[in-house]
Amino acid sequence: SAVYGPRDVEDRVASKFLLNAMRNETVTVHGASEILDFTYVDDIANGICFATLSPNAANKTSNMTRSIGYTLLDAAKMAVKMTNSQSAIVVVDRDRMFPSRGTLSIEKAIIDLNYSPTVDLEEGFTHYYEWLNTSDSVRRH
């Protein structure tokens, strides 16, 4: 999963796309059709709470993602549009050193934990962008 949100490091895909767009720098997409399961940090935090408090979680492993895939190109376009950026989007071949990830099934987490992620990519990027725009810890060149 591609977890993202406030206080994330600058070296993950969502932060790279948004920060480069905010800085009007090139947004590089490594594999336009590569699909990631972008998951907002609040959904993950809620899932961890559910797993911690639920007796149904004992000795079980579940995926906790949004379980909806987006292409890297779609995410990059969303970042550029959202930030009103002048950034160019450059598509290069996917990095063969990284596996294709796709979308994960959260069926077990839904059944066992009543897990229900609620933040879609556009809403999550909006929250994250607002945080990045006001955070003192982000370099905006």
Coordinates of all heavy atoms in Angstrom, one line a residue, residues 2-81:
A2 N 0.4 2.3 -0.5 CA 1.1 3.6 -0.5 C 0.4 4.5 0.5 O -0.5 5.2 0.2 CB 1.0 4.2 -1.9
V3 N 0.8 4.3 1.7 CA 0.3 5.1 2.8 C 0.8 6.5 2.7 O 2.0 6.7 2.4 CB 0.6 4.5 4.2 CG1 0.1 5.4 5.3 CG2 0.1 3.1 4.3
Y4 N 0.0 7.5 3.0 CA 0.4 8.9 2.8 C -0.4 9.8 3.8 O -1.5 9.4 4.3 CB 0.2 9.4 1.4 CG -1.3 9.5 1.0 CD1 -2.0 10.7 1.2 CD2 -1.9 8.4 0.6 CE1 -3.3 10.8 0.8 CE2 -3.3 8.4 0.3 CZ -4.0 9.6 0.4 OH -5.3 9.7 0.1
G5 N 0.1 10.9 4.1 CA -0.6 11.9 4.9 C 0.3 12.7 5.7 O 1.5 12.6 5.6
P6 N -0.2 13.6 6.6 CA 0.6 14.5 7.4 C 1.7 13.8 8.1 O 1.5 12.7 8.6 CB -0.4 15.1 8.4 CG -1.7 15.1 7.6 CD -1.7 13.8 6.8
R7 N 2.8 14.4 8.2 CA 4.0 14.0 8.8 C 4.7 12.8 8.1 O 5.7 12.2 8.6 CB 3.8 13.6 10.3 CG 3.4 14.8 11.1 CD 3.1 14.5 12.6 NE 2.8 15.6 13.4 CZ 1.9 16.6 13.2 NH1 1.4 16.7 12.0 NH2 1.7 17.5 14.1
D8 N 4.3 12.6 6.9 CA 5.0 11.6 6.1 C 6.4 12.1 5.7 O 6.6 13.3 5.6 CB 4.2 11.3 4.8 CG 4.6 10.0 4.2 OD1 5.5 9.3 4.7 OD2 3.9 9.6 3.2
V9 N 7.3 11.2 5.4 CA 8.6 11.6 4.9 C 8.5 12.1 3.4 O 7.5 11.7 2.7 CB 9.6 10.4 5.0 CG1 9.8 10.0 6.4 CG2 9.2 9.2 4.1
E10 N 9.5 12.8 3.0 CA 9.4 13.4 1.6 C 9.8 12.4 0.5 O 9.9 12.7 -0.6 CB 10.3 14.6 1.5 CG 9.7 15.8 2.3 CD 10.4 17.1 1.9 OE1 11.0 17.2 0.8 OE2 10.4 18.0 2.8
D11 N 10.1 11.1 0.9 CA 10.6 10.2 -0.1 C 9.6 9.1 -0.5 O 10.0 8.0 -0.8 CB 11.9 9.6 0.4 CG 12.7 8.9 -0.7 OD1 12.6 9.4 -1.9 OD2 13.4 7.9 -0.4
R12 N 8.3 9.4 -0.4 CA 7.3 8.4 -0.8 C 6.5 9.0 -1.9 O 6.5 10.2 -2.1 CB 6.4 8.1 0.4 CG 7.3 7.3 1.5 CD 6.6 7.1 2.8 NE 5.2 6.7 2.8 CZ 4.9 5.4 2.8 NH1 5.8 4.4 2.9 NH2 3.6 5.0 2.8
V13 N 5.8 8.2 -2.6 CA 5.2 8.6 -3.9 C 4.2 9.8 -3.8 O 4.3 10.7 -4.5 CB 4.6 7.4 -4.7 CG1 3.4 6.8 -4.0 CG2 4.2 7.8 -6.1
A14 N 3.3 9.7 -2.8 CA 2.4 10.8 -2.7 C 3.1 12.1 -2.3 O 2.8 13.2 -2.9 CB 1.3 10.5 -1.6
S15 N 4.0 12.0 -1.4 CA 4.7 13.3 -1.0 C 5.5 13.8 -2.1 O 5.6 15.0 -2.4 CB 5.6 13.0 0.3 OG 6.5 12.0 0.1
K16 N 6.2 12.9 -2.9 CA 7.0 13.4 -4.0 C 6.1 14.1 -5.1 O 6.4 15.2 -5.6 CB 7.7 12.2 -4.7 CG 8.9 11.7 -4.0 CD 9.5 10.5 -4.7 CE 10.7 10.0 -4.0 NZ 11.3 8.9 -4.8
F17 N 5.0 13.5 -5.4 CA 4.1 14.1 -6.4 C 3.6 15.4 -5.9 O 3.7 16.4 -6.6 CB 2.9 13.2 -6.7 CG 3.2 12.0 -7.5 CD1 2.2 11.0 -7.7 CD2 4.4 11.7 -8.1 CE1 2.4 9.9 -8.5 CE2 4.7 10.6 -8.9 CZ 3.6 9.7 -9.1
L18 N 3.1 15.5 -4.7 CA 2.5 16.8 -4.2 C 3.6 17.8 -4.0 O 3.4 19.0 -4.4 CB 1.7 16.6 -2.9 CG 0.4 15.9 -3.1 CD1 -0.2 15.4 -1.8 CD2 -0.6 16.9 -3.8
L19 N 4.7 17.5 -3.4 CA 5.8 18.5 -3.2 C 6.4 19.0 -4.5 O 6.6 20.2 -4.6 CB 6.8 17.9 -2.2 CG 6.4 17.8 -0.8 CD1 7.4 17.0 0.0 CD2 6.2 19.2 -0.2
N20 N 6.6 18.1 -5.4 CA 7.2 18.5 -6.7 C 6.2 19.4 -7.4 O 6.6 20.5 -8.0 CB 7.6 17.4 -7.6 CG 8.9 16.7 -7.1 OD1 9.4 17.1 -6.1 ND2 9.3 15.7 -7.9
A21 N 4.9 19.1 -7.3 CA 3.9 20.0 -8.0 C 3.8 21.3 -7.2 O 3.8 22.4 -7.9 CB 2.5 19.3 -7.9
M22 N 3.9 21.3 -5.9 CA 3.9 22.6 -5.2 C 5.1 23.5 -5.5 O 5.0 24.7 -5.5 CB 3.8 22.3 -3.7 CG 2.5 21.7 -3.2 SD 2.6 21.1 -1.5 CE 2.9 22.6 -0.6
R23 N 6.2 22.8 -5.8 CA 7.4 23.5 -6.1 C 7.6 23.8 -7.6 O 8.6 24.4 -8.1 CB 8.6 22.7 -5.7 CG 8.7 22.5 -4.2 CD 9.7 21.4 -3.8 NE 9.7 21.3 -2.3 CZ 10.1 20.2 -1.7 NH1 10.5 19.1 -2.4 NH2 10.1 20.1 -0.4
N24 N 6.5 23.5 -8.4 CA 6.6 23.6 -9.9 C 7.8 22.9 -10.5 O 8.3 23.3 -11.5 CB 6.5 25.1 -10.3 CG 5.2 25.7 -10.1 OD1 4.2 25.1 -10.5 ND2 5.1 26.8 -9.4
E25 N 8.2 21.8 -9.9 CA 9.2 20.9 -10.4 C 8.6 19.8 -11.2 O 7.4 19.5 -11.0 CB 10.1 20.4 -9.2 CG 10.8 21.5 -8.5 CD 11.6 20.9 -7.3 OE1 11.4 19.7 -6.9 OE2 12.3 21.7 -6.6
T26 N 9.4 19.1 -12.0 CA 8.9 18.0 -12.8 C 8.4 16.9 -11.9 O 9.0 16.6 -10.8 CB 10.1 17.4 -13.6 OG1 10.5 18.5 -14.5 CG2 9.6 16.2 -14.4
V27 N 7.3 16.3 -12.2 CA 6.7 15.2 -11.5 C 7.0 14.0 -12.4 O 6.5 13.9 -13.5 CB 5.2 15.4 -11.3 CG1 4.6 14.1 -10.6 CG2 4.9 16.6 -10.5
T28 N 7.8 13.1 -11.9 CA 8.2 11.9 -12.6 C 7.4 10.7 -12.2 O 7.3 10.4 -11.0 CB 9.7 11.6 -12.4 OG1 10.5 12.8 -12.8 CG2 10.2 10.4 -13.3
V29 N 6.8 10.1 -13.2 CA 6.0 8.9 -13.0 C 6.8 7.7 -13.5 O 7.1 7.6 -14.7 CB 4.6 9.0 -13.7 CG1 3.8 7.7 -13.6 CG2 3.9 10.2 -13.2
H30 N 7.0 6.8 -12.6 CA 7.8 5.5 -13.0 C 6.8 4.4 -13.3 O 6.4 3.6 -12.5 CB 8.7 5.1 -11.9 CG 9.8 6.0 -11.6 ND1 11.0 6.0 -12.3 CD2 9.9 7.1 -10.8 CE1 11.8 6.9 -11.9 NE2 11.1 7.7 -11.0
G31 N 6.3 4.4 -14.6 CA 5.3 3.4 -15.0 C 3.9 4.0 -14.9 O 3.3 3.9 -13.9
A32 N 3.4 4.6 -16.0 CA 2.1 5.3 -16.0 C 1.0 4.4 -15.6 O 0.0 4.8 -15.0 CB 1.9 5.8 -17.4
S33 N 1.1 3.1 -16.0 CA -0.1 2.2 -15.7 C 0.1 1.4 -14.4 O -0.7 0.6 -14.0 CB -0.3 1.2 -16.8 OG 0.9 0.4 -17.0
E34 N 1.2 1.7 -13.7 CA 1.5 1.0 -12.4 C 0.4 1.4 -11.4 O 0.0 2.6 -11.3 CB 2.8 1.3 -11.8 CG 4.0 0.7 -12.5 CD 4.0 -0.8 -12.3 OE1 4.0 -1.3 -11.2 OE2 3.9 -1.5 -13.3
I35 N -0.2 0.5 -10.7 CA -1.3 0.7 -9.8 C -0.9 0.6 -8.4 O -0.2 -0.4 -8.0 CB -2.5 -0.2 -10.1 CG1 -3.1 0.1 -11.5 CG2 -3.6 -0.1 -9.0 CD1 -4.2 -0.9 -11.9
L36 N -1.2 1.6 -7.6 CA -1.0 1.5 -6.1 C -2.3 1.7 -5.4 O -3.2 2.3 -5.8 CB 0.0 2.7 -5.7 CG 1.4 2.6 -6.2 CD1 2.2 3.7 -5.6 CD2 2.0 1.3 -5.8
D37 N -2.3 1.1 -4.2 CA -3.4 1.2 -3.3 C -3.2 2.3 -2.3 O -2.7 2.1 -1.2 CB -3.5 -0.2 -2.6 CG -4.8 -0.4 -1.9 OD1 -5.6 0.6 -1.7 OD2 -5.1 -1.6 -1.6
F38 N -3.4 3.5 -2.7 CA -3.1 4.7 -1.9 C -4.1 4.7 -0.7 O -5.3 4.6 -0.9 CB -3.4 6.0 -2.7 CG -2.3 6.3 -3.8 CD1 -2.5 5.8 -5.1 CD2 -1.2 7.0 -3.5 CE1 -1.5 6.0 -6.0 CE2 -0.2 7.2 -4.4 CZ -0.4 6.7 -5.7
T39 N -3.5 4.8 0.5 CA -4.3 4.7 1.7 C -3.9 5.9 2.6 O -2.7 6.0 3.0 CB -4.0 3.4 2.4 OG1 -4.2 2.3 1.5 CG2 -4.9 3.2 3.6
Y40 N -4.9 6.7 3.0 CA -4.7 7.8 3.9 C -4.3 7.3 5.3 O -4.9 6.4 5.8 CB -5.9 8.7 3.9 CG -5.6 10.1 4.5 CD1 -4.7 11.0 4.0 CD2 -6.3 10.4 5.7 CE1 -4.5 12.2 4.6 CE2 -6.1 11.6 6.3 CZ -5.2 12.5 5.7 OH -5.0 13.8 6.3
V41 N -3.4 8.0 5.9 CA -2.9 7.6 7.3 C -4.0 7.5 8.3 O -3.9 6.6 9.2 CB -1.8 8.6 7.7 CG1 -2.3 9.9 8.0 CG2 -1.0 8.0 8.9
D42 N -5.0 8.3 8.3 CA -6.1 8.1 9.3 C -6.8 6.8 9.2 O -7.2 6.2 10.2 CB -7.1 9.3 9.1 CG -6.6 10.6 9.6 OD1 -5.5 10.7 10.1 OD2 -7.4 11.6 9.5
D43 N -7.0 6.3 7.9 CA -7.6 5.0 7.8 C -6.8 3.9 8.3 O -7.3 3.0 9.0 CB -7.9 4.7 6.3 CG -9.2 5.5 5.8 OD1 -10.1 5.8 6.6 OD2 -9.2 5.7 4.6
I44 N -5.5 4.0 8.1 CA -4.6 3.0 8.7 C -4.6 3.1 10.2 O -4.7 2.0 10.9 CB -3.1 3.2 8.2 CG1 -3.0 3.0 6.7 CG2 -2.1 2.3 9.0 CD1 -3.3 1.5 6.3
A45 N -4.6 4.3 10.8 CA -4.6 4.4 12.2 C -5.9 3.8 12.8 O -5.8 3.1 13.8 CB -4.5 5.9 12.6
N46 N -7.0 4.1 12.2 CA -8.3 3.5 12.6 C -8.2 2.0 12.6 O -8.7 1.3 13.5 CB -9.4 4.0 11.8 CG -9.8 5.5 12.2 OD1 -9.5 5.9 13.3 ND2 -10.3 6.2 11.2
G47 N -7.7 1.4 11.5 CA -7.5 0.0 11.4 C -6.7 -0.6 12.5 O -7.0 -1.7 13.0
I48 N -5.6 0.1 12.8 CA -4.7 -0.4 13.9 C -5.5 -0.4 15.2 O -5.4 -1.3 16.0 CB -3.4 0.4 14.0 CG1 -2.6 0.1 12.7 CG2 -2.7 0.1 15.2 CD1 -1.4 1.0 12.5
C49 N -6.3 0.6 15.4 CA -7.1 0.7 16.7 C -8.1 -0.5 16.7 O -8.2 -1.1 17.7 CB -7.8 2.0 16.8 SG -6.7 3.4 17.1
F50 N -8.8 -0.7 15.6 CA -9.7 -1.8 15.5 C -9.0 -3.1 15.8 O -9.5 -4.0 16.6 CB -10.4 -1.9 14.1 CG -11.3 -0.8 13.8 CD1 -11.4 -0.4 12.4 CD2 -11.9 0.0 14.7 CE1 -12.3 0.6 12.1 CE2 -12.8 1.0 14.4 CZ -12.9 1.4 13.0
A51 N -7.9 -3.4 15.2 CA -7.1 -4.6 15.4 C -6.7 -4.7 16.9 O -6.7 -5.8 17.4 CB -5.9 -4.7 14.5
T52 N -6.3 -3.6 17.5 CA -5.8 -3.7 18.9 C -6.9 -4.0 19.8 O -6.7 -4.7 20.8 CB -5.2 -2.3 19.2 OG1 -4.1 -2.0 18.3 CG2 -4.6 -2.3 20.6
L53 N -8.1 -3.5 19.6 CA -9.2 -3.7 20.5 C -10.1 -4.9 20.2 O -11.0 -5.2 21.0 CB -10.0 -2.4 20.5 CG -9.3 -1.1 20.9 CD1 -10.1 0.1 20.7 CD2 -8.8 -1.2 22.4
S54 N -10.0 -5.5 19.1 CA -10.9 -6.6 18.7 C -10.4 -7.9 19.1 O -9.2 -8.3 18.7 CB -11.1 -6.5 17.2 OG -11.9 -7.7 16.8
P55 N -11.2 -8.7 19.8 CA -10.7 -10.1 20.0 C -10.7 -11.0 18.7 O -10.0 -12.0 18.7 CB -11.8 -10.6 21.0 CG -13.0 -9.7 20.8 CD -12.5 -8.4 20.3
N56 N -11.3 -10.5 17.7 CA -11.3 -11.2 16.4 C -10.0 -11.1 15.7 O -9.7 -11.8 14.7 CB -12.4 -10.7 15.5 CG -13.8 -11.0 16.0 OD1 -14.0 -11.9 16.7 ND2 -14.7 -10.1 15.6
A57 N -9.1 -10.2 16.2 CA -7.8 -10.0 15.5 C -6.7 -10.9 16.1 O -5.6 -11.0 15.4 CB -7.4 -8.6 15.7
A58 N -6.9 -11.6 17.1 CA -5.9 -12.4 17.8 C -5.3 -13.4 16.8 O -6.0 -14.2 16.2 CB -6.4 -13.1 19.0
N59 N -4.0 -13.3 16.7 CA -3.2 -14.2 15.8 C -3.6 -14.3 14.4 O -3.5 -15.3 13.7 CB -3.2 -15.7 16.4 CG -2.6 -15.7 17.8 OD1 -1.5 -15.2 18.0 ND2 -3.3 -16.3 18.7
K60 N -4.2 -13.1 13.9 CA -4.6 -13.0 12.5 C -3.8 -11.9 11.8 O -3.4 -10.9 12.4 CB -6.1 -12.8 12.4 CG -6.9 -13.9 12.8 CD -8.4 -13.6 12.6 CE -9.3 -14.8 13.1 NZ -10.7 -14.4 13.0
T61 N -3.7 -12.0 10.5 CA -3.1 -11.0 9.7 C -4.1 -10.5 8.7 O -4.8 -11.3 8.0 CB -1.9 -11.5 8.9 OG1 -0.9 -12.1 9.9 CG2 -1.2 -10.5 8.1
S62 N -4.2 -9.2 8.6 CA -5.2 -8.6 7.6 C -4.5 -7.4 6.9 O -3.7 -6.7 7.5 CB -6.4 -8.0 8.4 OG -7.1 -9.0 9.0
N63 N -4.9 -7.2 5.7 CA -4.5 -6.0 5.0 C -5.4 -4.9 5.4 O -6.6 -5.0 5.5 CB -4.6 -6.2 3.4 CG -3.7 -7.2 2.9 OD1 -2.5 -7.3 3.3 ND2 -4.2 -8.1 2.0
M64 N -4.8 -3.7 5.6 CA -5.5 -2.5 5.9 C -5.1 -1.4 5.0 O -4.1 -0.7 5.2 CB -5.3 -2.1 7.4 CG -5.9 -3.0 8.3 SD -5.9 -2.4 10.0 CE -6.1 -3.9 10.9
T65 N -5.8 -1.4 3.9 CA -5.6 -0.4 2.8 C -6.9 0.2 2.5 O -8.0 -0.1 3.0 CB -4.9 -1.0 1.6 OG1 -5.9 -1.9 1.0 CG2 -3.7 -1.8 2.0
R66 N -6.9 1.1 1.5 CA -8.2 1.6 0.9 C -8.8 0.6 0.0 O -10.0 0.5 -0.1 CB -7.9 2.9 0.1 CG -9.1 3.5 -0.5 CD -10.0 4.2 0.5 NE -11.0 4.9 -0.3 CZ -12.3 4.9 0.1 NH1 -12.7 4.2 1.1 NH2 -13.2 5.5 -0.7
S67 N -8.0 -0.3 -0.5 CA -8.5 -1.4 -1.4 C -9.1 -0.9 -2.7 O -10.0 -1.5 -3.3 CB -9.4 -2.3 -0.7 OG -9.6 -3.5 -1.4
I68 N -8.6 0.3 -3.2 CA -9.0 0.9 -4.5 C -7.7 1.3 -5.1 O -7.0 2.2 -4.5 CB -10.0 2.0 -4.3 CG1 -11.3 1.5 -3.7 CG2 -10.2 2.7 -5.7 CD1 -12.3 2.6 -3.3
G69 N -7.4 0.8 -6.3 CA -6.2 1.2 -6.9 C -6.3 2.4 -7.8 O -7.3 2.6 -8.4
Y70 N -5.2 3.1 -7.9 CA -5.1 4.2 -8.9 C -3.8 4.1 -9.6 O -2.8 3.7 -9.0 CB -5.1 5.6 -8.1 CG -6.5 6.0 -7.5 CD1 -6.8 5.6 -6.3 CD2 -7.4 6.7 -8.3 CE1 -8.0 5.9 -5.7 CE2 -8.6 7.1 -7.8 CZ -8.9 6.7 -6.5 OH -10.1 7.0 -6.0
T71 N -3.8 4.5 -10.9 CA -2.5 4.5 -11.6 C -1.6 5.6 -11.1 O -2.1 6.6 -10.6 CB -2.7 4.6 -13.1 OG1 -3.2 5.9 -13.4 CG2 -3.6 3.5 -13.7
L72 N -0.3 5.4 -11.2 CA 0.6 6.5 -10.8 C 0.3 7.7 -11.6 O 0.4 8.8 -11.1 CB 2.0 6.0 -11.0 CG 2.5 5.0 -10.0 CD1 3.9 4.6 -10.3 CD2 2.4 5.5 -8.5
L73 N 0.0 7.5 -12.9 CA -0.2 8.7 -13.8 C -1.5 9.5 -13.3 O -1.5 10.7 -13.2 CB -0.4 8.3 -15.2 CG -0.6 9.4 -16.2 CD1 0.6 10.4 -16.1 CD2 -0.7 8.9 -17.6
D74 N -2.5 8.8 -12.9 CA -3.7 9.5 -12.4 C -3.4 10.2 -11.1 O -3.9 11.4 -10.9 CB -4.9 8.5 -12.1 CG -5.5 8.0 -13.4 OD1 -5.4 8.7 -14.5 OD2 -6.2 6.9 -13.4
A75 N -2.6 9.6 -10.2 CA -2.3 10.3 -9.0 C -1.4 11.5 -9.2 O -1.6 12.6 -8.6 CB -1.5 9.3 -8.0
A76 N -0.5 11.4 -10.2 CA 0.4 12.6 -10.5 C -0.5 13.7 -11.1 O -0.3 14.9 -10.8 CB 1.4 12.1 -11.5
K77 N -1.4 13.4 -12.0 CA -2.3 14.4 -12.6 C -3.1 15.1 -11.5 O -3.3 16.3 -11.5 CB -3.2 13.8 -13.6 CG -2.5 13.4 -14.9 CD -3.5 12.7 -15.9 CE -2.8 12.4 -17.2 NZ -3.7 11.7 -18.1
M78 N -3.6 14.3 -10.6 CA -4.4 14.8 -9.5 C -3.5 15.8 -8.6 O -4.0 16.9 -8.3 CB -4.9 13.7 -8.6 CG -5.9 14.2 -7.5 SD -6.5 12.9 -6.5 CE -7.4 11.9 -7.7
A79 N -2.3 15.5 -8.4 CA -1.4 16.3 -7.6 C -1.2 17.7 -8.3 O -1.2 18.7 -7.7 CB -0.1 15.6 -7.3
V80 N -0.9 17.6 -9.6 CA -0.6 18.8 -10.4 C -1.9 19.7 -10.5 O -1.8 20.9 -10.3 CB -0.1 18.4 -11.8 CG1 -0.1 19.6 -12.7 CG2 1.3 17.8 -11.7
K81 N -3.0 19.1 -10.7 CA -4.2 19.9 -10.8 C -4.6 20.5 -9.5 O -4.9 21.7 -9.4 CB -5.4 19.0 -11.3 CG -6.7 19.7 -11.4 CD -7.8 18.7 -11.9 CE -9.1 19.5 -12.0 NZ -10.2 18.6 -12.4

